Amino acid sequence: MSTSLSQRPPIVTHASLPMVPTMARLIDRVQETSNTFTCRLEFVDPEAAARFRFYPGQFNMVYLFGVGEAAISISSDPDDLSSIQHTIRHVGSVTFAVSRLEVGDVLGIRGPFGSNWPLEACRGRDVLLVAGGIGIAPLRPAIYQILKHREQYGRLILLYGVRSPKDMIYREEVEAWSKRRDFQVMCTVDYPDPQWIGPVGVVTSLMRRVRLDSARTSVLVCGPRVMNREAAHSFLSHHVPEEHIFVSLERNMRCGIGQCGHCQYGPKFVCKDGPVFSYDSVRTMFSKEEV
Amino acid sequence: MRRDGMFAVAKDQLDPLICELAHDGYTVIGPTIRDGAITYDEITSAAMLPRGWTQETDGGHYRLKRRTDDACFGFVVGPHSLKRYLFPSRLKLFSVTRDGQGGFSPDVEPPPAPKYAFVGVRSCDLAAVAVQDMVFNSEMPDPYYRQVREQMFVVAVNCAEPGGTCFCSSMDTGPRCSAGYDLAITELSTSFAMEVGSERGQAMLERVRHEEADANARHLVDLMMSTAAKHNMGRSLDTADLPEILMSNLEHRQWDQAGNRCLACANCTLVCPTCFCNNIYDRTDLSGDHADRYRNWGSCFALEFTYHTGGYIRSSRRARYRQWLTHKLASWHGQFGTSGCVGCGRCITWCPVGIDITVEATAIADDVRESLKRHGSGTKTEEADV
């Protein structure tokens, strides 16, 4: 199971004002694709930097002066706290404003928030990661952790689907992972270009190519809504236990602390009960439209 | 020392009580008449209360009416509740100023919170404050809410004459105030029966003329309250197994019925004393060097409420109505261990098309219960997670 509220890392914010962000400076920026970039951030206040820890799968609220806040998952290694990385696709006003920042500029951070990938519960089991598009960002900290303690896990498989080859993020890292003998990486695209020699189709179509030992497999899924649903149902039909299918969900969030109500999902608040849910905890709502 | 029991206070002592509260630095808030409705506003004397007024309420219907007597509190709740003071519809959370070096500094002084004394608060609204406490005054408290909450003084009023859309007795939140007040009034024909709920309430009582109430008065209050609860509620709702039924019947045809009538106007969420959803946004000045961060009331009936990269989660009004009703009566239990509905009936009264939460929930529940009876358990309900 993912960690309960009380076991989570402390939220770095002003103690008396939970909505006030802490300043962080942009120290590096990598363009991943035409609309996606990874930024490295460093807290301006060393005290905040010293306090900040996170678990794989958690997110921060990223604040841009005069623009607003957006919930963005943390995509760096939890053991490397020299900086925090966020991989961001510019789609809205906040993410667009972040994309215009230059090295040295300052933004605000509140976090970390939310539940985490249950790496403890995955120990001794095969781990299958399913990522769609930018959904690989919240999975990357989990990949770092599993690779670091590789002997504690069984097989490690990543199924990664993107729209076209040029939309692949963390390209060099994914290539390096795929060369490892202890990490099976399969990528697929919806729209191939002439150089693409891999599989074509949605990411769930890659499941046919994987031989699952269902009872001893844990699945971590993060992608668009339709993909999450397809993937979860496909694993269920392959008899992966419900409590070992984990899905990271995305919703409109304004506060991160269960007070704005936007991210409600039945009785759950995605910001604090999620974003990572085990399938059995959301089963009754998972296939319903517009919940 | 706090004294238990009941005290008889003459009606002309209400004015001194209000003065004493003001003297202690409280901004006294009480029911007044504005725009043809009972609304909360600042009061400086008992003369400002809507004495001799009552109201007629039904689905989508609210009219003030003259009473035959001159009761001080002979009406029930209007569209306002304590929500507008504890969780204002618009609140500046903090300000941010550019520091001239590429950074910015937030002003971390908490906003000043007024010291309110609320007069005439009904049991349903006290229950609603307890419900909102779980949102705004728990693990990550909202500093403004917490401060107003801690320093507020409450003179509650027990409802002897519930209104046409009231159903607090179904929700176990009234009509008699059980907690959360400093002083509680039951209005009798010639005097007030007053109960003390706190040390502060006791101290305040000592400052007005009062005497020990006799056994008759106590008996009368008990009788008035039990009659109000049993016979005078305008609406009722059977809440047994309701959360499970609603959450396992998200595709019930009744949702289409309500969804077709619902205008998605958000009135119900604005008048609801427990609805807490909100939007947070920045307002910058023309220089661009200064931004204020505001929190406004939001509503799950707004289309953009669920907007994110992938589009709108709840694009149909049916889904938005279902979200609101299931949140109130079902999923609130999973989130906070209590119902989100206190039975005040405001959402029924102020719905422009008169959609009635008790009718909608009952239609689904009765249909499911009936069908369970006919076909045995398990045929109509899937598993529920509330």
Side-chain angles (χ1 to χ4, degrees):
Chain A
M1 280 322 313
S2 61
T3 319
S4 75
L5 227 51
S6 57
Q7 296 167 298
R8 287 184 197 162
I11 292 165
V12 174
T13 174
H14 292 270
S16 61
L17 290 168
M19 298 305 291
V20 177
T22 304
M23 280 198 290
R25 198 175 295 284
L26 181 70
I27 54 172
D28 183 32
R29 191 178 179 291
V30 174
Q31 195 70 32
E32 301 279 358
T33 72
S34 62
N35 63 5
T36 306
F37 57 96
T38 299
C39 52
R40 278 205 302 136
L41 306 170
E42 199 176 68
F43 283 108
V44 172
D45 173 14
E47 225 171 88
R51 281 178 60 206
F52 189 85
R53 309 179 274 121
F54 70 96
Y55 291 141
Q58 290 195 289
F59 67 93
N60 281 330
M61 295 300 290
V62 174
Y63 169 72
L64 251 283
F65 179 89
V67 185
E69 275 186 324
I72 311 278
S73 65
I74 308 169
S75 55
S76 47
D77 184 349
D79 286 345
D80 175 11
L81 293 169
S82 61
S83 66
I84 312 162
Q85 291 182 40
H86 285 294
T87 299
I88 300 172
R89 188 171 66 191
H90 61 78
V91 284
S93 50
V94 175
T95 49
F96 179 69
V98 179
S99 78
R100 302 280 294 259
L101 291 183
E102 287 172 14
V103 169
D105 286 347
V106 169
L107 44 69
I109 294 282
R110 290 190 299 125
F113 297 117
S115 63
N116 53 282
W117 298 111
L119 298 184
E120 298 275 328
C122 295
R123 290 226 176 105
R125 303 174 62 84
D126 294 345
V127 182
L128 188 110
L129 311 149
V130 184
I134 199 166
I136 197 167
L139 283 167
R140 192 167 70 154
I143 295 174
Y144 289 142
Q145 287 293 300
I146 295 170
L147 290 177
K148 187 167 290 175
H149 308 283
R150 187 64 192 86
E151 71 292 348
Q152 295 176 5
Y153 300 89
R155 292 166 68 204
L156 178 62
I157 304 160
L158 168 66
L159 310 183
Y160 180 26
V162 289
R163 285 172 69 85
S164 70
K166 65 178 184 345
D167 292 318
M168 186 171 289
I169 59 176
Y170 311 143
R171 181 188 303 271
E172 284 171 20
E173 267 180 304
V174 173
E175 270 168 26
W177 292 336
S178 66
K179 287 183 183 131
R180 291 178 67 127
R181 299 188 58 181
D182 58 358
F183 194 179
Q184 187 185 353
V185 178
M186 277 188 271
C187 300
T188 181
V189 300
D190 295 328
Y191 305 102
D193 62 15
Q195 284 76 44
W196 182 257
I197 53 167
V200 174
V202 293
V203 67
T204 44
S205 67
L206 290 176
M207 290 175 211
R208 284 198 309 265
R209 300 164 184 249
V210 183
R211 284 178 68 107
L212 280 182
D213 184 352
S214 303
R216 53 162 294 170
T217 300
S218 295
V219 185
L220 315 184
V221 182
C222 187
R225 238 185 316 163
V226 176
M227 190 213 87
N228 289 343
R229 195 174 289 186
E230 286 296 309
H233 288 154
S234 167
F235 290 118
L236 282 175
S237 68
H238 282 91
H239 309 293
V240 176
E242 283 186 340
E243 63 277 17
H244 277 287
I245 299 173
F246 298 93
V247 187
S248 180
L249 302 181
E250 188 186 23
R251 292 230 157 181
N252 186 328
M253 291 180 197
R254 302 293 174 94
C255 72
I257 54 176
Q259 290 182 0
C260 79
H262 285 260
C263 70
Q264 284 180 76
Y265 183 46
K268 310 287 185 190
F269 289 101
V270 174
C271 70
K272 57 177 199 180
D273 302 317
V276 177
F277 291 101
S278 64
Y279 182 85
D280 60 323
S281 70
V282 292
R283 180 204 307 120
T284 48
M285 287 112 49
F286 202 71
S287 305
K288 300 245 162 46
E289 290 298 330
E290 299 193 278
V291 172
Chain B
M1 262 300 285
R2 188 178 140 192
R3 287 148 74 192
D4 288 330
M6 194 174 278
F7 304 89
V9 177
K11 288 196 182 180
D12 64 9
Q13 290 303 292
L14 196 54
D15 209 42
L17 176 67
I18 290 168
C19 291
E20 290 297 325
L21 287 166
H23 180 263
D24 281 5
Y26 288 106
T27 301
V28 184
I29 305 290
T32 60
I33 288 182
R34 179 149 51 98
D35 298 335
I38 305 286
T39 53
Y40 275 124
D41 222 327
E42 188 170 347
I43 56 171
T44 50
S45 79
M48 295 172 79
L49 295 172
R51 207 164 175 164
W53 285 96
T54 186
Q55 76 288 301
E56 181 184 273
T57 55
D58 203 345
H61 179 84
Y62 182 99
R63 294 288 181 278
L64 284 179
K65 271 188 355 189
R66 272 281 173 202
R67 293 176 64 90
T68 52
D69 60 17
D70 63 345
C72 296
F73 298 103
F75 43 84
V76 290
V77 295
H80 290 171
S81 63
L82 299 200
K83 178 169 92 165
R84 71 195 297 258
Y85 297 97
L86 289 157
F87 165 47
S89 58
R90 183 165 178 226
L91 179 72
K92 188 166 98 177
L93 297 173
F94 57 92
S95 306
V96 193
T97 310
R98 285 197 200 275
D99 64 7
Q101 288 135 39
F104 55 84
S105 53
D107 176 5
V108 294
E109 273 300 302
K115 191 173 151 186
Y116 289 121
F118 299 106
V119 175
V121 182
R122 306 307 170 120
S123 183
C124 55
D125 281 351
L126 290 180
V129 170
V131 169
Q132 284 213 329
D133 279 351
M134 290 183 237
V135 181
F136 293 118
N137 202 7
S138 58
E139 42 188 340
M140 293 284 274
D142 169 49
Y144 184 89
Y145 183 97
R146 170 166 279 191
Q147 208 188 331
V148 175
R149 181 79 178 86
E150 276 171 4
Q151 60 199 24
M152 75 184 198
F153 189 99
V154 172
V155 181
V157 167
N158 291 324
C159 290
E161 296 173 31
T165 55
C166 290
F167 58 106
C168 61
S169 60
S170 299
M171 305 313 291
D172 207 17
T173 56
R176 190 174 196 160
C177 301
S178 56
Y181 59 85
D182 298 292
L183 292 170
I185 290 172
T186 308
E187 185 166 14
L188 309 176
S189 52
T190 55
S191 67
F192 294 132
M194 209 175 272
E195 289 162 282
V196 174
S198 70
E199 301 277 336
R200 281 189 308 177
Q202 180 66 50
M204 192 49 72
L205 178 71
E206 302 299 341
R207 288 158 68 175
V208 296
R209 208 153 26 80
H210 68 282
E211 58 190 51
E212 201 83 32
D214 59 24
N216 278 344
R218 273 176 234 195
H219 183 68
L220 183 59
V221 169
D222 287 346
L223 188 69
M224 284 165 69
M225 287 302 114
S226 63
T227 308
K230 278 195 204 115
H231 307 297
N232 292 348
M233 291 287 154
R235 297 288 196 275
S236 71
L237 182 63
D238 179 0
T239 58
D241 64 3
L242 193 58
E244 296 76 17
I245 288 180
L246 292 174
M247 290 312 276
S248 355
N249 289 278
L250 296 175
E251 307 301 340
H252 196 279
R253 62 187 176 280
Q254 187 68 25
W255 297 118
D256 298 312
Q257 289 278 322
N260 283 338
R261 283 178 291 147
C262 176
L263 307 175
C265 71
N267 261 17
C268 50
T269 57
L270 299 178
V271 295
C272 177
T274 67
C275 271
F276 62 85
C277 290
N278 57 76
N279 298 315
I280 297 150
Y281 63 96
D282 263 28
R283 276 181 59 158
T284 45
D285 66 4
L286 286 175
S287 74
D289 291 333
H290 182 87
D292 290 327
R293 200 132 173 80
Y294 278 95
R295 183 185 69 190
N296 279 9
W297 284 358
S299 174
C300 54
F301 283 94
L303 177 61
E304 61 273 18
F305 187 76
T306 55
Y307 180 77
H308 75 133
T309 326
Y312 302 102
I313 304 260
R314 292 187 280 273
S315 49
S316 71
R317 277 171 299 156
R318 167 188 179 272
R320 282 175 264 156
Y321 183 77
R322 184 180 69 181
Q323 162 62 24
W324 177 77
L325 190 144
T326 53
H327 187 211
K328 287 290 147 200
L329 295 175
S331 53
W332 211 294
H333 287 274
Q335 293 170 349
F336 301 106
T338 175
S339 172
C341 175
V342 294
C344 70
R346 287 184 177 95
C347 58
I348 307 170
T349 306
W350 299 96
C351 174
V353 292
I355 298 176
D356 185 329
I357 187 173
T358 64
V359 170
E360 298 304 320
T362 304
I364 294 173
D366 282 356
D367 183 46
V368 173
R369 287 174 189 140
E370 185 59 34
S371 146
L372 283 174
K373 239 184 269 167
R374 258 186 284 127
H375 305 291
S377 61
T379 53
K380 189 94 194 220
T381 48
E382 310 142 34
E383 260 180 284
D385 184 13
V386 286

